[in-house]
Amino acid sequence: MSDTNNYTDNTFNLYQAYSYTLLLQVEPTSFSYAVVNDTYLLVSAQNCDLQELFQPMALNDLLSATYKKVIIGMPASGLTLIPNSLFREERVSGFARFLDVKENEKVFAQPLDDINAIIYKTDAGLISAVERFGLQNAVYTGKGWIKSIANSNPPNNNLYLDVSKDKVQLLYFSLKTLRFYNTFDFRSEDELAYFASFVAEELNLKPQNITLVISGDVAAGDKNLIRLAYFFPKIELNGLKVLELPGQIQSHKLLSLAALSLCGSSVAV
């Protein structure tokens, strides 16, 4: 991300780590972390060197502490949603065949909400980077973001986006029920606008009648928002807060990382 949003509260004390929660959000080439005491943010940093997870140096003390809880958000190189009514651990391998799993990938599965389960694959190298934190603590990276929006009673005319440097998550609810979720890789503001427009068209949503609610690596007036505004006249930054944040951190920039605090664990197969 372009803004690292590094923050350390003056009450943070690693000797009290046993009462803290460590949130790790892993990406293919970097990771972000936060340390939380209940709902209070103590430490956060984004766009950290992935090598720190393999061989911690600058973050050795923080990553080596014993925490009350650890939650690891893992990215997906492929995913599928299935109804919870069909979700059984013994069936996961069968569903995973639709993901074209490679030798260097591993499959995880978990309930996503009250209706859907998610089965996703992720790179084995990333798994080895976080294995020492316990794979039972791994969840799909977007699960908390989805849950935070679901908890906000989303209206039918909002299309939600979470933007990182090269990937966008798109989410839509109808009658408070998740109707659409997917992720897309993009390389430019034009591709980002294309995917948002494509999803809106697939959902029969007229751009003039909906609001794009955006979180992640965006800022008012940046090239991504300017291009999206060409197609969608109503855009707003997502103001949801799942943690108590200091004034200098914009909640939309930390939302997907902070929302990991809402998650439970997944199943690896």
Side-chain angles (χ1 to χ4, degrees):
M1 298 180 72
S2 56
D3 184 354
T4 58
N5 290 308
N6 291 354
Y7 170 75
T8 301
D9 188 270
N10 57 17
T11 65
F12 174 62
N13 183 348
L14 271 177
Y15 289 111
Q16 297 178 11
Y18 58 86
S19 63
Y20 298 159
T21 297
L22 172 65
L23 308 176
L24 295 174
Q25 188 173 49
V26 182
E27 300 296 339
T29 59
S30 64
F31 76 100
S32 301
Y33 68 86
V35 177
V36 177
N37 186 10
D38 293 325
T39 61
Y40 189 83
L41 179 69
L42 295 174
V43 176
S44 70
Q46 295 172 279
N47 198 31
C48 301
D49 186 349
L50 196 61
Q51 189 61 29
E52 283 285 330
L53 290 179
F54 291 97
Q55 295 180 316
M57 296 181 67
L59 299 176
N60 184 60
D61 290 345
L62 186 143
L63 295 177
S64 300
T66 300
Y67 292 92
K68 177 181 179 180
K69 188 175 184 180
V70 177
I71 303 173
I72 310 161
M74 296 299 293
S77 51
L79 62 87
T80 186
L81 301 185
I82 62 170
N84 276 331
S85 59
L86 298 178
F87 178 72
R88 303 286 187 279
E89 286 187 32
E90 62 271 18
R91 295 181 179 178
V92 170
S93 296
F95 287 118
R97 284 199 289 268
F98 294 103
L99 299 179
D100 188 26
V101 181
K102 308 298 184 185
E103 288 186 4
N104 65 333
E105 294 174 321
K106 190 174 182 65
V107 173
F108 290 87
Q110 67 182 140
L112 188 65
D113 58 17
D114 292 338
I115 298 174
N116 304 286
I118 184 170
I119 299 173
Y120 66 98
K121 62 178 183 175
T122 194
D123 182 83
L126 297 178
I127 294 170
S128 65
V130 299
E131 204 160 10
R132 66 192 181 95
F133 298 101
L135 293 184
Q136 73 276 11
N137 299 316
V139 301
Y140 174 60
T141 190
K143 182 178 180 180
W145 178 68
I146 294 169
K147 186 171 184 178
S148 68
I149 294 169
N151 290 345
S152 71
N153 294 315
N156 297 344
N157 60 343
N158 281 1
L159 181 60
Y160 295 89
L161 284 72
D162 188 75
V163 180
S164 63
K165 59 185 177 182
D166 55 10
K167 186 181 288 288
V168 59
Q169 303 180 76
L170 286 112
L171 176 66
Y172 177 68
F173 287 85
S174 178
L175 301 176
K176 317 301 182 188
T177 300
L178 191 155
R179 181 177 171 191
F180 178 88
Y181 174 76
N182 209 342
T183 67
F184 301 92
D185 295 325
F186 71 94
R187 293 171 293 181
S188 68
E189 62 271 26
D190 288 328
E191 289 190 356
L192 176 61
Y194 167 78
F195 288 124
S197 299
F198 170 76
V199 169
E201 183 177 356
E202 287 293 302
L203 294 171
N204 293 316
L205 301 172
K206 296 184 182 301
Q208 65 270 25
N209 295 334
I210 63 173
T211 300
L212 296 191
V213 183
I214 305 179
S215 57
D217 189 14
V218 293
D222 71 16
K223 62 181 182 179
N224 286 331
L225 292 191
I226 290 172
R227 192 58 176 154
L228 286 167
Y230 184 84
F231 301 95
F232 298 91
K234 291 183 284 187
I235 295 177
E236 62 183 49
L237 297 176
N238 197 323
L240 285 178
K241 292 183 179 180
V242 296
L243 297 177
E244 298 178 53
L245 303 176
Q248 66 265 41
I249 292 185
Q250 296 174 291
S251 58
H252 75 273
K253 286 186 174 288
L254 205 68
L255 181 57
S256 63
L257 172 62
L260 286 175
S261 61
L262 304 176
C263 295
S265 61
S266 61
V267 178
V269 298

Coordinates of all heavy atoms in Angstrom, one line a residue, residues 35-117:
V35 N -1.6 -5.1 16.4 CA -1.8 -5.7 17.7 C -2.9 -5.0 18.4 O -3.0 -3.7 18.4 CB -0.5 -5.6 18.6 CG1 -0.7 -6.1 20.0 CG2 0.7 -6.3 17.9
V36 N -3.8 -5.7 19.0 CA -5.1 -5.2 19.5 C -5.3 -5.7 21.0 O -5.0 -6.8 21.3 CB -6.3 -5.7 18.7 CG1 -7.6 -5.2 19.2 CG2 -6.1 -5.2 17.2
N37 N -5.7 -4.7 21.8 CA -6.1 -5.1 23.2 C -7.6 -4.9 23.2 O -8.1 -3.8 23.2 CB -5.4 -4.2 24.2 CG -5.7 -4.6 25.6 OD1 -6.3 -5.6 25.9 ND2 -5.3 -3.7 26.5
D38 N -8.4 -6.0 23.2 CA -9.8 -6.0 23.1 C -10.2 -5.3 21.8 O -9.9 -5.8 20.7 CB -10.5 -5.3 24.3 CG -10.3 -6.1 25.6 OD1 -10.3 -7.3 25.5 OD2 -10.2 -5.5 26.6
T39 N -10.8 -4.1 21.8 CA -11.1 -3.4 20.5 C -10.2 -2.2 20.3 O -10.5 -1.3 19.5 CB -12.6 -3.0 20.5 OG1 -12.8 -2.1 21.6 CG2 -13.5 -4.2 20.6
Y40 N -9.1 -2.1 21.1 CA -8.3 -0.9 21.1 C -7.0 -1.2 20.3 O -6.2 -2.2 20.6 CB -7.9 -0.5 22.5 CG -7.2 0.8 22.6 CD1 -7.9 2.0 22.6 CD2 -5.8 0.9 22.7 CE1 -7.3 3.2 22.7 CE2 -5.2 2.1 22.8 CZ -5.9 3.3 22.8 OH -5.3 4.5 22.9
L41 N -6.7 -0.4 19.2 CA -5.5 -0.6 18.4 C -4.3 -0.1 19.2 O -4.2 1.0 19.6 CB -5.7 0.1 17.1 CG -4.5 0.0 16.2 CD1 -4.3 -1.4 15.6 CD2 -4.6 1.0 15.0
L42 N -3.3 -1.0 19.3 CA -2.0 -0.6 20.0 C -0.9 -0.4 19.0 O -0.1 0.5 19.1 CB -1.6 -1.7 20.9 CG -2.5 -2.0 22.1 CD1 -2.1 -3.2 22.9 CD2 -2.6 -0.7 23.0
V43 N -0.8 -1.2 17.9 CA 0.2 -1.1 16.9 C -0.3 -1.5 15.6 O -1.2 -2.5 15.5 CB 1.4 -2.1 17.3 CG1 2.5 -2.1 16.2 CG2 2.0 -1.7 18.6
S44 N 0.1 -0.9 14.5 CA -0.2 -1.3 13.2 C 0.9 -0.9 12.2 O 1.6 0.1 12.4 CB -1.6 -0.8 12.7 OG -1.5 0.6 12.5
A45 N 1.0 -1.7 11.2 CA 1.9 -1.3 10.1 C 1.5 -2.1 8.8 O 1.1 -3.2 8.9 CB 3.4 -1.6 10.4
Q46 N 1.6 -1.4 7.7 CA 1.2 -2.1 6.4 C 2.4 -2.0 5.4 O 3.4 -1.3 5.6 CB 0.0 -1.3 5.8 CG -1.2 -1.5 6.7 CD -2.4 -0.6 6.3 OE1 -2.4 0.6 6.6 NE2 -3.3 -1.2 5.5
N47 N 2.3 -2.9 4.4 CA 3.3 -3.0 3.4 C 4.7 -3.4 4.0 O 5.7 -2.8 3.6 CB 3.4 -1.7 2.6 CG 4.1 -1.9 1.3 OD1 4.0 -3.0 0.7 ND2 4.7 -0.9 0.8
C48 N 4.7 -4.4 4.9 CA 5.9 -4.8 5.5 C 6.6 -5.8 4.6 O 6.0 -6.6 3.8 CB 5.7 -5.4 6.9 SG 4.9 -4.3 8.0
D49 N 7.9 -6.0 4.7 CA 8.7 -6.9 4.0 C 8.3 -8.3 4.4 O 8.4 -8.7 5.5 CB 10.2 -6.7 4.2 CG 11.1 -7.5 3.4 OD1 10.6 -8.5 2.7 OD2 12.3 -7.3 3.4
L50 N 7.9 -9.1 3.4 CA 7.5 -10.5 3.6 C 8.6 -11.3 4.3 O 8.3 -12.3 5.0 CB 7.0 -11.1 2.3 CG 6.2 -12.4 2.4 CD1 4.9 -12.2 3.2 CD2 5.9 -13.0 1.0
Q51 N 9.8 -11.0 4.0 CA 10.9 -11.7 4.6 C 10.9 -11.7 6.1 O 11.5 -12.6 6.8 CB 12.3 -11.2 4.0 CG 13.5 -12.0 4.4 CD 13.4 -13.4 3.8 OE1 12.8 -13.7 2.8 NE2 14.1 -14.4 4.5
E52 N 10.3 -10.7 6.7 CA 10.3 -10.6 8.2 C 9.5 -11.8 8.8 O 9.7 -12.1 9.9 CB 9.6 -9.3 8.6 CG 10.5 -8.1 8.5 CD 11.6 -8.0 9.6 OE1 11.3 -8.5 10.7 OE2 12.7 -7.5 9.3
L53 N 8.5 -12.3 8.0 CA 7.8 -13.5 8.5 C 8.7 -14.8 8.5 O 8.5 -15.6 9.3 CB 6.5 -13.7 7.7 CG 5.4 -12.7 7.8 CD1 4.3 -13.0 6.9 CD2 5.0 -12.6 9.3
F54 N 9.6 -14.9 7.5 CA 10.4 -16.0 7.5 C 11.6 -15.9 8.5 O 11.9 -16.9 9.2 CB 11.0 -16.2 6.0 CG 10.0 -16.6 5.0 CD1 9.4 -15.6 4.2 CD2 9.6 -17.9 4.8 CE1 8.5 -16.0 3.3 CE2 8.7 -18.3 3.9 CZ 8.1 -17.3 3.1
Q55 N 12.3 -14.8 8.5 CA 13.4 -14.5 9.4 C 13.3 -13.1 10.0 O 13.8 -12.2 9.5 CB 14.7 -14.6 8.6 CG 15.0 -16.0 8.0 CD 16.3 -16.1 7.3 OE1 16.6 -15.2 6.5 NE2 17.1 -17.1 7.5
P56 N 12.5 -13.0 11.1 CA 12.3 -11.7 11.7 C 13.5 -11.1 12.1 O 14.4 -11.7 12.8 CB 11.3 -12.0 12.9 CG 10.8 -13.4 12.6 CD 11.8 -14.1 11.8
M57 N 13.7 -9.8 11.8 CA 14.8 -9.0 12.3 C 14.3 -7.8 13.0 O 14.2 -7.7 14.2 CB 15.7 -8.7 11.1 CG 16.4 -9.9 10.5 SD 17.5 -9.5 9.1 CE 18.8 -8.7 10.0
A58 N 13.8 -6.8 12.2 CA 13.3 -5.6 12.8 C 12.1 -5.9 13.7 O 11.8 -5.2 14.7 CB 12.9 -4.6 11.7
L59 N 11.3 -6.9 13.3 CA 10.1 -7.2 14.0 C 10.2 -8.5 14.9 O 9.2 -9.1 15.3 CB 8.9 -7.4 13.0 CG 8.6 -6.2 12.1 CD1 7.5 -6.6 11.1 CD2 8.1 -5.1 13.0
N60 N 11.4 -8.9 15.2 CA 11.6 -10.1 15.9 C 10.9 -10.2 17.2 O 10.2 -11.2 17.5 CB 13.1 -10.4 16.1 CG 13.4 -11.7 16.7 OD1 13.0 -12.8 16.2 ND2 14.0 -11.7 17.9
D61 N 11.0 -9.1 18.0 CA 10.4 -9.1 19.3 C 8.9 -9.2 19.2 O 8.2 -10.0 19.9 CB 10.8 -7.9 20.1 CG 12.2 -7.9 20.6 OD1 12.8 -9.0 20.5 OD2 12.8 -6.9 20.9
L62 N 8.3 -8.4 18.3 CA 6.9 -8.4 18.1 C 6.3 -9.7 17.6 O 5.3 -10.2 18.1 CB 6.5 -7.2 17.2 CG 5.0 -7.0 17.0 CD1 4.7 -5.5 16.9 CD2 4.4 -7.7 15.8
L63 N 7.0 -10.3 16.7 CA 6.5 -11.5 16.1 C 6.8 -12.7 16.9 O 6.2 -13.8 16.7 CB 7.0 -11.7 14.6 CG 6.6 -10.6 13.6 CD1 7.3 -10.9 12.3 CD2 5.1 -10.6 13.4
S64 N 7.7 -12.6 17.8 CA 8.1 -13.8 18.7 C 7.3 -13.8 20.0 O 7.5 -14.8 20.7 CB 9.6 -13.8 18.9 OG 10.3 -13.8 17.7
A65 N 6.6 -12.8 20.3 CA 5.9 -12.7 21.6 C 4.8 -13.8 21.6 O 4.3 -14.3 20.6 CB 5.3 -11.3 21.8
T66 N 4.3 -14.1 22.8 CA 3.2 -15.1 23.0 C 2.0 -14.3 23.2 O 1.8 -13.6 24.3 CB 3.5 -16.0 24.2 OG1 4.7 -16.7 24.0 CG2 2.4 -17.0 24.4
Y67 N 1.0 -14.4 22.3 CA -0.2 -13.6 22.3 C -1.4 -14.5 22.8 O -1.4 -15.7 22.7 CB -0.5 -13.1 20.9 CG 0.5 -12.0 20.4 CD1 1.6 -12.4 19.7 CD2 0.3 -10.7 20.8 CE1 2.5 -11.4 19.3 CE2 1.2 -9.7 20.3 CZ 2.3 -10.1 19.6 OH 3.2 -9.1 19.2
K68 N -2.3 -13.8 23.3 CA -3.6 -14.4 23.7 C -4.2 -15.1 22.5 O -4.8 -16.2 22.6 CB -4.5 -13.4 24.4 CG -5.9 -14.0 24.8 CD -6.8 -12.8 25.4 CE -8.1 -13.4 25.7 NZ -9.0 -12.3 26.3
K69 N -4.2 -14.4 21.4 CA -4.8 -14.9 20.2 C -4.1 -14.4 19.0 O -3.6 -13.3 19.0 CB -6.3 -14.4 20.2 CG -7.1 -15.0 19.1 CD -8.6 -14.6 19.2 CE -9.5 -15.2 18.2 NZ -10.9 -14.8 18.3
V70 N -4.0 -15.2 17.9 CA -3.5 -14.8 16.7 C -4.5 -15.1 15.6 O -5.1 -16.2 15.5 CB -2.1 -15.6 16.3 CG1 -1.6 -15.2 15.0 CG2 -1.1 -15.3 17.4
I71 N -4.7 -14.2 14.7 CA -5.6 -14.4 13.5 C -4.8 -14.0 12.3 O -4.2 -12.9 12.2 CB -6.8 -13.5 13.6 CG1 -7.6 -13.8 14.9 CG2 -7.7 -13.8 12.4 CD1 -8.8 -12.9 15.1
I72 N -4.7 -14.9 11.3 CA -3.9 -14.8 10.1 C -4.8 -14.7 8.9 O -5.5 -15.7 8.6 CB -2.9 -15.9 9.9 CG1 -2.1 -16.2 11.2 CG2 -2.0 -15.6 8.8 CD1 -1.5 -17.5 11.2
G73 N -4.8 -13.6 8.2 CA -5.6 -13.5 7.0 C -4.8 -13.9 5.8 O -3.7 -13.3 5.5
M74 N -5.2 -15.0 5.1 CA -4.5 -15.5 4.0 C -5.1 -15.1 2.6 O -6.3 -15.2 2.5 CB -4.4 -17.0 4.1 CG -3.6 -17.5 5.3 SD -1.9 -17.0 5.3 CE -1.2 -17.9 3.9
P75 N -4.3 -14.8 1.6 CA -4.9 -14.4 0.3 C -5.3 -15.7 -0.5 O -4.8 -16.8 -0.1 CB -3.7 -13.7 -0.3 CG -2.5 -14.4 0.2 CD -2.9 -14.7 1.7
A76 N -6.1 -15.5 -1.5 CA -6.5 -16.6 -2.3 C -6.0 -16.4 -3.7 O -6.1 -15.3 -4.3 CB -8.0 -16.7 -2.3
S77 N -5.5 -17.5 -4.3 CA -5.2 -17.5 -5.7 C -6.3 -18.1 -6.5 O -6.3 -18.1 -7.8 CB -3.9 -18.2 -6.0 OG -3.9 -19.5 -5.4
G78 N -7.3 -18.5 -5.8 CA -8.6 -19.0 -6.4 C -9.5 -19.3 -5.3 O -9.1 -19.7 -4.2
L79 N -10.8 -19.1 -5.6 CA -11.8 -19.3 -4.5 C -13.2 -19.7 -5.1 O -13.4 -19.4 -6.3 CB -12.0 -18.1 -3.6 CG -12.4 -16.8 -4.2 CD1 -14.0 -16.7 -4.2 CD2 -11.8 -15.6 -3.4
T80 N -14.0 -20.3 -4.3 CA -15.4 -20.6 -4.7 C -16.3 -20.5 -3.4 O -15.8 -20.9 -2.3 CB -15.5 -22.0 -5.4 OG1 -16.9 -22.1 -5.8 CG2 -15.2 -23.1 -4.4
L81 N -17.5 -20.1 -3.6 CA -18.5 -20.1 -2.5 C -19.5 -21.2 -2.7 O -19.9 -21.5 -3.8 CB -19.2 -18.8 -2.4 CG -18.4 -17.5 -2.2 CD1 -19.3 -16.3 -2.1 CD2 -17.4 -17.6 -1.1
I82 N -19.8 -21.9 -1.6 CA -20.9 -22.9 -1.7 C -21.8 -22.7 -0.5 O -21.5 -22.1 0.5 CB -20.3 -24.3 -1.6 CG1 -19.5 -24.6 -0.3 CG2 -19.3 -24.6 -2.8 CD1 -19.1 -26.0 -0.1
P83 N -23.1 -23.2 -0.6 CA -24.0 -23.0 0.5 C -23.5 -23.8 1.7 O -23.0 -24.9 1.6 CB -25.3 -23.6 -0.1 CG -25.2 -23.6 -1.6 CD -23.7 -23.8 -1.8
N84 N -23.7 -23.3 2.9 CA -23.3 -24.0 4.1 C -24.0 -25.3 4.2 O -23.5 -26.2 4.9 CB -23.7 -23.1 5.3 CG -22.6 -22.1 5.6 OD1 -21.4 -22.3 5.3 ND2 -23.0 -21.0 6.2
S85 N -25.2 -25.4 3.7 CA -26.0 -26.7 3.7 C -25.2 -27.8 3.0 O -25.5 -29.0 3.3 CB -27.4 -26.5 3.1 OG -27.3 -26.1 1.8
L86 N -24.4 -27.5 2.1 CA -23.6 -28.5 1.4 C -22.2 -28.7 1.9 O -21.4 -29.6 1.5 CB -23.5 -28.1 -0.1 CG -24.8 -28.1 -0.9 CD1 -24.5 -27.7 -2.3 CD2 -25.5 -29.4 -0.8
F87 N -21.8 -27.8 2.9 CA -20.4 -27.8 3.3 C -20.2 -28.8 4.4 O -20.8 -28.9 5.4 CB -20.1 -26.4 3.9 CG -18.7 -26.3 4.5 CD1 -17.6 -26.2 3.6 CD2 -18.4 -26.3 5.8 CE1 -16.3 -26.1 4.1 CE2 -17.2 -26.2 6.3 CZ -16.1 -26.1 5.5
R88 N -19.3 -29.7 4.0 CA -18.8 -30.8 5.0 C -17.3 -30.9 4.8 O -16.8 -30.8 3.6 CB -19.5 -32.1 4.7 CG -21.0 -32.2 4.8 CD -21.5 -32.1 6.2 NE -22.9 -32.2 6.2 CZ -23.8 -31.3 6.0 NH1 -23.4 -30.1 5.7 NH2 -25.1 -31.5 6.0
E89 N -16.5 -31.1 5.8 CA -15.1 -31.2 5.7 C -14.7 -32.3 4.7 O -13.8 -32.2 4.0 CB -14.5 -31.5 7.1 CG -14.4 -30.3 8.0 CD -13.6 -30.5 9.2 OE1 -12.7 -31.3 9.2 OE2 -14.0 -29.9 10.3
E90 N -15.5 -33.4 4.8 CA -15.1 -34.6 3.9 C -15.4 -34.3 2.4 O -14.9 -35.0 1.5 CB -15.8 -35.8 4.3 CG -17.4 -35.8 4.3 CD -18.0 -35.2 5.5 OE1 -17.3 -34.6 6.3 OE2 -19.2 -35.4 5.7
R91 N -16.1 -33.2 2.1 CA -16.4 -32.9 0.8 C -15.5 -31.8 0.2 O -15.6 -31.5 -1.0 CB -17.9 -32.3 0.7 CG -19.0 -33.4 1.0 CD -20.3 -32.7 0.8 NE -21.4 -33.7 1.1 CZ -22.7 -33.4 1.1 NH1 -23.1 -32.1 0.8 NH2 -23.6 -34.3 1.4
V92 N -14.7 -31.2 1.0 CA -13.9 -30.1 0.6 C -12.9 -30.5 -0.6 O -12.8 -29.7 -1.5 CB -13.0 -29.5 1.8 CG1 -12.0 -28.5 1.3 CG2 -14.0 -28.9 2.8
S93 N -12.3 -31.6 -0.5 CA -11.4 -32.0 -1.6 C -12.1 -32.1 -2.9 O -11.5 -31.8 -3.9 CB -10.8 -33.4 -1.2 OG -10.0 -33.3 -0.1
G94 N -13.4 -32.6 -2.9 CA -14.1 -32.6 -4.1 C -14.4 -31.3 -4.7 O -14.2 -31.0 -5.9
F95 N -14.8 -30.3 -3.8 CA -15.1 -29.0 -4.3 C -13.8 -28.3 -4.8 O -13.8 -27.5 -5.7 CB -15.7 -28.1 -3.2 CG -17.1 -28.4 -2.9 CD1 -17.5 -28.9 -1.7 CD2 -18.1 -28.3 -3.9 CE1 -18.8 -29.2 -1.4 CE2 -19.4 -28.5 -3.6 CZ -19.8 -29.0 -2.4
A96 N -12.7 -28.7 -4.1 CA -11.4 -28.0 -4.5 C -10.9 -28.4 -5.9 O -10.1 -27.6 -6.4 CB -10.3 -28.4 -3.4
R97 N -11.4 -29.4 -6.4 CA -11.0 -29.8 -7.8 C -11.4 -28.7 -8.8 O -10.8 -28.6 -9.8 CB -11.7 -31.1 -8.2 CG -11.0 -32.3 -7.6 CD -11.3 -33.6 -8.3 NE -12.7 -34.0 -8.1 CZ -13.1 -34.8 -7.2 NH1 -12.2 -35.4 -6.3 NH2 -14.4 -35.1 -7.0
F98 N -12.4 -27.9 -8.5 CA -12.8 -26.8 -9.4 C -11.8 -25.7 -9.3 O -11.9 -24.8 -10.2 CB -14.2 -26.3 -9.0 CG -15.3 -27.4 -9.2 CD1 -15.9 -28.0 -8.1 CD2 -15.8 -27.6 -10.5 CE1 -16.9 -29.0 -8.3 CE2 -16.8 -28.6 -10.7 CZ -17.3 -29.2 -9.6
L99 N -10.9 -25.7 -8.4 CA -10.0 -24.6 -8.2 C -8.7 -24.8 -9.0 O -7.8 -24.0 -9.0 CB -9.7 -24.3 -6.7 CG -10.8 -23.9 -5.9 CD1 -10.4 -23.7 -4.4 CD2 -11.5 -22.6 -6.4
D100 N -8.5 -26.0 -9.6 CA -7.3 -26.3 -10.3 C -6.1 -26.1 -9.4 O -5.2 -25.4 -9.7 CB -7.2 -25.5 -11.6 CG -6.0 -26.0 -12.5 OD1 -5.7 -27.1 -12.4 OD2 -5.5 -25.1 -13.2
V101 N -6.0 -26.9 -8.3 CA -5.0 -26.7 -7.3 C -3.7 -27.2 -7.8 O -3.6 -28.4 -8.3 CB -5.4 -27.4 -6.0 CG1 -4.3 -27.2 -5.0 CG2 -6.7 -26.9 -5.5
K102 N -2.6 -26.4 -7.7 CA -1.3 -26.8 -8.2 C -0.5 -27.4 -7.0 O -0.9 -27.4 -5.9 CB -0.5 -25.6 -8.7 CG -1.3 -24.7 -9.7 CD -1.5 -25.5 -11.0 CE -2.2 -24.6 -12.0 NZ -2.6 -25.4 -13.3
E103 N 0.6 -28.0 -7.4 CA 1.5 -28.7 -6.4 C 2.0 -27.7 -5.3 O 2.2 -28.1 -4.2 CB 2.6 -29.4 -7.0 CG 2.3 -30.6 -7.8 CD 3.5 -31.4 -8.4 OE1 4.6 -31.0 -8.0 OE2 3.3 -32.4 -9.1
N104 N 2.1 -26.5 -5.7 CA 2.7 -25.5 -4.7 C 1.5 -24.7 -4.0 O 1.8 -23.6 -3.5 CB 3.6 -24.5 -5.4 CG 2.9 -23.7 -6.5 OD1 1.9 -24.1 -7.0 ND2 3.4 -22.5 -6.7
E105 N 0.3 -25.3 -4.0 CA -0.8 -24.6 -3.4 C -1.5 -25.5 -2.3 O -1.4 -26.7 -2.5 CB -1.8 -24.1 -4.4 CG -1.3 -23.1 -5.4 CD -2.3 -22.8 -6.5 OE1 -2.9 -23.7 -7.0 OE2 -2.4 -21.6 -6.9
K106 N -2.1 -24.9 -1.4 CA -2.8 -25.6 -0.3 C -4.2 -25.1 -0.2 O -4.5 -23.9 -0.5 CB -2.1 -25.5 1.0 CG -2.7 -26.5 2.1 CD -1.8 -26.4 3.3 CE -2.3 -27.4 4.4 NZ -2.2 -28.8 4.0
V107 N -5.2 -25.9 0.1 CA -6.6 -25.5 0.1 C -7.1 -25.3 1.6 O -6.7 -26.1 2.5 CB -7.5 -26.6 -0.5 CG1 -9.0 -26.3 -0.4 CG2 -7.1 -26.7 -2.0
F108 N -7.8 -24.2 1.8 CA -8.5 -24.0 3.1 C -10.0 -23.8 2.9 O -10.4 -23.5 1.8 CB -7.9 -22.7 3.7 CG -6.5 -22.8 4.2 CD1 -5.5 -22.5 3.4 CD2 -6.3 -23.1 5.5 CE1 -4.1 -22.6 3.8 CE2 -5.0 -23.2 6.0 CZ -3.9 -22.9 5.1
A109 N -10.7 -24.1 3.9 CA -12.2 -24.0 3.8 C -12.7 -23.5 5.2 O -12.2 -23.8 6.2 CB -12.8 -25.3 3.4
Q110 N -13.8 -22.7 5.1 CA -14.4 -22.2 6.3 C -15.8 -21.6 6.0 O -16.1 -21.2 4.9 CB -13.6 -21.2 7.0 CG -13.5 -19.9 6.2 CD -12.6 -18.9 6.9 OE1 -11.8 -18.2 6.2 NE2 -12.7 -18.7 8.2
P111 N -16.7 -21.6 7.0 CA -17.9 -20.8 6.8 C -17.6 -19.3 6.6 O -16.7 -18.8 7.3 CB -18.7 -21.0 8.1 CG -18.1 -22.3 8.7 CD -16.7 -22.3 8.3
L112 N -18.3 -18.7 5.7 CA -18.0 -17.3 5.4 C -19.0 -16.4 6.1 O -18.7 -15.3 6.6 CB -18.1 -17.0 3.9 CG -17.6 -15.6 3.4 CD1 -16.2 -15.4 3.7 CD2 -17.9 -15.4 1.9
D113 N -20.3 -16.9 6.1 CA -21.4 -16.2 6.8 C -22.4 -17.2 7.2 O -22.2 -18.4 7.1 CB -21.9 -15.0 6.0 CG -22.5 -15.4 4.7 OD1 -22.7 -16.7 4.5 OD2 -22.7 -14.6 3.8
D114 N -23.6 -16.8 7.5 CA -24.7 -17.8 7.9 C -25.2 -18.6 6.7 O -25.8 -19.7 7.0 CB -25.9 -17.0 8.5 CG -25.5 -16.4 9.8 OD1 -24.6 -16.8 10.5 OD2 -26.2 -15.4 10.2
I115 N -24.9 -18.2 5.5 CA -25.4 -18.9 4.4 C -24.3 -19.6 3.5 O -24.6 -20.7 3.0 CB -26.2 -17.9 3.5 CG1 -27.4 -17.4 4.2 CG2 -26.7 -18.6 2.2 CD1 -28.2 -16.3 3.5
N116 N -23.2 -19.0 3.5 CA -22.1 -19.4 2.5 C -20.9 -19.9 3.2 O -20.5 -19.4 4.3 CB -21.7 -18.3 1.6 CG -22.9 -17.7 0.8 OD1 -23.4 -18.3 -0.1 ND2 -23.3 -16.5 1.2
A117 N -20.2 -20.9 2.6 CA -18.9 -21.3 3.0 C -17.9 -20.9 1.8 O -18.3 -20.8 0.7 CB -18.8 -22.8 3.2

